Amino acid sequence: MSNFLRTTICAFLLSGCIYANSEPMPYKSWYLGFSAPDYMEVWIESADVVDVKEQVYPSAMSGTAAIQRPPNNSGDPKGWPQKPGIGKGKNVTGADLPQKIYVRWQSLVEPQTYQMVINLPEATQEIMRKGEKAFCAADGKWITDYRNALVINLAPGGIAKVWVRGSCLTPIEVIRVKGVIDPRGPYEGKSGGKYDSLSDESKAYVKEFGVPYGSW
């Protein structure tokens, strides 16, 4: 766990904040997923969770974010998806609903290293707790569905946008956050400033069109 995360969590716990709604979570686990715009490759060093009971779950997710790299520069990385997918991630088992997410990641097209704390509004937990009737086209059935997936889309410039979504429910946008640059660089300075290489498809797109800053 990084010093940045330790400091953030300690400040949060010392504040004496207590989550007012103590209703139980209506499912065993929730999903934490990450995506990135077309070609805008991301490496997530660590995503750490603080739940509503103030329990810390370090390294709940790490690795690559879900991304598309259509050939011949035919993709479009500008802007956000209207209906974001579930992303690449993991079920956060044992945790209650999320209250804070600390993310440290590398934006490989720049390249740059960012870190941020996403403070989820209290309404987020209410949305994730609420069951809704939904028709699932995949099996043609009406079910009670929950928005039990938290999807974070990471873009160059340190921008993140967060949605909650369910299997058969419309995604709901939660928050947009801008991270800060970590001057130590990748891996907290342990790689000598060296980033992983981009794929050929991403290199070709960035060479031709650049990075569409301002679209996110």
Side-chain angles (χ1 to χ4, degrees):
M1 189 186 306
S2 71
N3 291 331
F4 181 75
L5 176 59
R6 289 192 186 95
T7 301
T8 301
I9 292 171
C10 288
F12 170 66
L13 297 178
L14 288 172
S15 70
C17 295
I18 298 175
Y19 184 66
N21 196 329
S22 59
E23 293 181 25
M25 190 170 69
Y27 31 81
K28 292 183 179 180
S29 65
W30 53 275
Y31 182 85
L32 177 61
F34 288 87
S35 298
D38 291 358
Y39 311 108
M40 304 291 113
E41 295 179 22
V42 162
W43 177 260
I44 301 156
E45 292 188 10
S46 181
D48 308 306
V49 171
V50 179
D51 72 9
V52 295
K53 293 181 179 176
E54 302 176 356
Q55 298 298 305
V56 181
Y57 297 83
S59 299
M61 170 56 185
S62 61
T64 56
I67 192 170
Q68 296 187 51
R69 306 178 188 87
N72 303 317
N73 294 339
S74 58
D76 185 4
K78 296 184 290 295
W80 304 106
Q82 290 186 347
K83 293 184 178 181
I86 198 170
K88 183 178 179 181
K90 297 178 180 178
N91 285 316
V92 185
T93 304
D96 208 309
L97 293 173
Q99 188 171 28
K100 291 177 181 285
I101 311 289
Y102 165 76
V103 189
R104 178 185 166 83
W105 80 99
Q106 302 171 20
S107 174
L108 298 179
V109 296
E110 300 181 78
Q112 192 62 268
T113 303
Y114 297 98
Q115 56 188 6
M116 67 168 52
V117 177
I118 301 171
N119 296 295
L120 298 170
E122 189 171 308
T124 305
Q125 295 88 24
E126 294 302 317
I127 293 169
M128 294 181 74
R129 185 177 283 109
K130 181 182 179 182
E132 294 185 23
K133 293 293 183 183
F135 181 77
C136 283
D139 55 13
K141 296 180 180 179
W142 284 90
I143 64 168
T144 298
D145 197 13
Y146 293 90
R147 291 182 175 89
N148 58 352
L150 189 75
V151 181
I152 302 174
N153 199 313
L154 298 172
I159 306 299
K161 184 168 275 194
V162 183
W163 292 264
V164 286
R165 57 160 296 160
S167 300
C168 304
L169 292 171
T170 303
I172 295 177
E173 181 182 325
V174 172
I175 193 171
R176 178 184 183 274
V177 183
K178 182 175 175 59
V180 297
I181 294 172
D182 188 336
R184 296 173 297 176
Y187 305 108
E188 299 180 323
K190 298 174 184 176
S191 70
K194 185 177 180 180
Y195 289 85
D196 291 338
S197 299
L198 286 172
S199 67
D200 291 341
E201 293 85 357
S202 293
K203 283 182 182 178
Y205 185 91
V206 173
K207 183 178 180 180
E208 180 73 19
F209 298 104
V211 177
Y213 292 108
S215 67
W216 302 294

